[in-house]
Amino acid sequence: MFLSIPSSSSSFLLFICLFLFSILTEPLCSSAQLLPNSSSSGHTRQSHHNHRQLSVDYYSKSCPDIERLVGAVTSQQFKLTPVSAPATINLFFHDCFVEGCDGSILVASTGGSKAEKEAEQNRELREEGFEIVKKAKELVESKCPGVVSCADILAVAARDFVHLAGGPYYQVKKGRWDGKISMASRVGNNLPFANSTIDQLIKLFASKGLTLEDMVALSGAHTIGYAHCNHFVTRLYKPDPNMDPKLMYALRMYCPSYGGTNAVVPFDAATPFLFDNAYYGNLQKKMGLLASDQALFLDPRTKPLVEAMAKDKQKFFQAFASAMERMSLVRVKRGRKHGEKRKDCSMHA
């Protein structure tokens, strides 16, 4: 979920999808970020107090058309560039897990100070996600100047794309302020790795106040989008007994052991832009791309949840919507002491 999708030609991606689809649907086959660390207890208490001040109708008087305005941008961009969906959802995850859901990922570096987005772990974030927020912010500012935060726009846009891609619609609480701090040095281990263990992921999620079910549900965002070869190439050449051999051999065509790590492969080759529960079915077939994804089916603590969500799409949708709402409240900022309202999301106020 916390992996982005690099630029590449549409014809190349289509070829990959068609080829892998034939592997995924082959009758002989055996039976797609990642998750980010830590907030102090002080931050947790402050955030709990702050998110109680958020509400679905926060802008009912100051900017009543915010959902329609953001929706006009997201719906248009989804038709033009479907990759905007996983790009924006991924951007939202990366934002929330570092400084909290405060739009700090959107800030550009200035002078000698490297912003959060420049951290090594964030360099694969696609530009489409940033562009969506920029366009939506410009439209909202034209109607409601100085009112709506970039953090709220990102939260609403991420929800829109989940729904536009076929996933659940859920209400987004609003009232976040934008963060005053955006530093690459603060990213550290807050963003997980493709080979994170279940123990590491559980610890990470618990530090955000998120449950085991939240973790498994949010991982389901890998039902859309793509992964870079470098995040799973070591699984192809060791090889990994927990990856389906047919999938492994197919992936070797696109992910050489040396070089070529910028290539991409869809998490779910059958429906790469459809938000469904196919991700969990793939894990049952040993077709998870990332070791951290496949581990969800191997660990007895998470396997029952994978099986339940693979069997029941509505159960997955309900769990995902609930998890997204809880994640969207992580370390939110409120008031001028802790936050700001940016006119340009890439620049501090």
Side-chain angles (χ1 to χ4, degrees):
M1 140 193 8
F2 292 89
L3 296 179
S4 59
I5 311 91
S7 300
S8 46
S9 71
S10 57
S11 58
F12 175 67
L13 289 177
L14 178 61
F15 180 71
I16 291 178
C17 289
L18 292 174
F19 185 88
L20 290 179
F21 177 70
S22 68
I23 298 297
L24 286 164
T25 55
E26 167 62 48
L28 296 178
C29 280
S30 61
S31 232
Q33 165 167 292
L34 295 179
L35 319 160
N37 196 356
S38 87
S39 57
S40 67
S41 59
H43 280 308
T44 302
R45 287 193 297 271
Q46 179 67 36
S47 179
H48 180 68
H49 172 71
N50 286 343
H51 75 60
R52 289 175 62 185
Q53 300 179 51
L54 272 60
S55 65
V56 173
D57 60 353
Y58 183 83
Y59 297 110
S60 60
K61 294 182 179 180
S62 58
C63 192
D65 290 333
I66 175 182
E67 300 253 353
R68 183 182 63 79
L69 293 170
V70 175
V73 174
T74 53
S75 60
Q76 179 186 37
Q77 291 304 122
F78 185 68
K79 293 175 184 176
L80 295 174
T81 53
V83 76
S84 296
T88 307
I89 296 167
N90 193 41
L91 185 64
F92 185 50
F93 290 145
H94 278 243
D95 185 43
C96 291
F97 274 98
V98 178
E99 291 289 344
C101 305
D102 65 353
S104 56
I105 189 66
L106 305 170
V107 176
S109 297
T110 56
S113 177
K114 289 178 64 177
E116 191 177 308
K117 66 184 291 188
E118 301 300 330
E120 183 66 32
Q121 301 94 317
N122 286 328
R123 287 183 181 175
E124 292 177 352
L125 291 173
R126 277 197 71 118
E127 191 59 33
E128 285 87 347
F130 294 96
E131 281 299 312
I132 286 293
V133 177
K134 180 181 178 181
K135 290 180 180 179
K137 176 65 170 174
E138 289 173 351
L139 182 58
V140 171
E141 281 293 309
S142 71
K143 305 295 183 181
C144 316
V147 173
V148 182
S149 67
C150 300
D152 276 346
I153 288 175
L154 177 55
V156 172
R159 185 280 313 278
D160 284 357
F161 279 121
V162 169
H163 187 58
L164 287 165
Y169 182 90
Y170 53 91
Q171 298 286 350
V172 175
K173 290 183 178 180
K174 294 172 282 290
R176 300 165 188 79
W177 284 52
D178 297 321
K180 293 182 175 182
I181 298 171
S182 179
M183 299 171 61
S185 60
R186 294 202 174 195
V187 175
N189 291 323
N190 280 317
L191 294 175
F193 301 94
N195 60 352
S196 292
T197 66
I198 295 299
D199 284 339
Q200 290 170 333
L201 297 181
I202 289 174
K203 182 178 179 181
L204 234 48
F205 267 80
S207 73
K208 305 300 180 186
L210 299 171
T211 68
L212 191 71
E213 184 175 34
D214 292 334
M215 181 181 84
V216 176
L218 289 172
S219 296
H222 280 171
T223 190
I224 58 174
Y226 299 80
H228 292 74
C229 286
N230 63 296
H231 291 296
F232 59 86
V233 68
T234 55
R235 300 186 68 203
L236 308 181
Y237 295 95
K238 278 196 176 178
D240 187 338
N242 294 310
M243 178 178 280
D244 177 81
K246 290 180 181 289
L247 177 63
M248 184 186 302
Y249 295 137
L251 290 173
R252 287 178 181 176
M253 296 177 62
Y254 309 105
C255 303
S257 55
Y258 296 100
T261 53
N262 245 358
V264 291
V265 173
F267 282 112
D268 172 19
T271 55
F273 293 120
L274 178 62
F275 199 100
D276 54 21
N277 62 335
Y279 163 84
Y280 300 102
N282 288 342
L283 299 186
Q284 291 177 310
K285 301 172 187 175
K286 294 186 177 182
M287 289 184 174
L289 286 187
L290 309 181
S292 57
D293 282 340
Q294 193 59 52
L296 295 174
F297 186 66
L298 300 174
D299 193 287
R301 292 168 291 183
T302 49
K303 182 177 180 179
L305 291 167
V306 171
E307 292 175 326
M309 294 183 196
K311 183 178 180 180
D312 188 342
K313 184 172 74 171
Q314 287 308 311
K315 178 178 178 60
F316 163 50
F317 279 8
Q318 290 169 6
F320 184 84
S322 296
M324 283 291 278
E325 180 179 0
R326 279 190 286 275
M327 187 186 74
S328 75
L329 302 177
V330 171
R331 290 184 61 185
V332 295
K333 310 299 188 295
R334 290 281 302 157
R336 296 191 182 281
K337 181 179 179 182
H338 302 286
E340 62 186 10
K341 291 288 183 74
R342 301 184 212 131
K343 288 187 177 296
D344 181 338
C345 294
S346 67
M347 297 174 59
H348 287 297

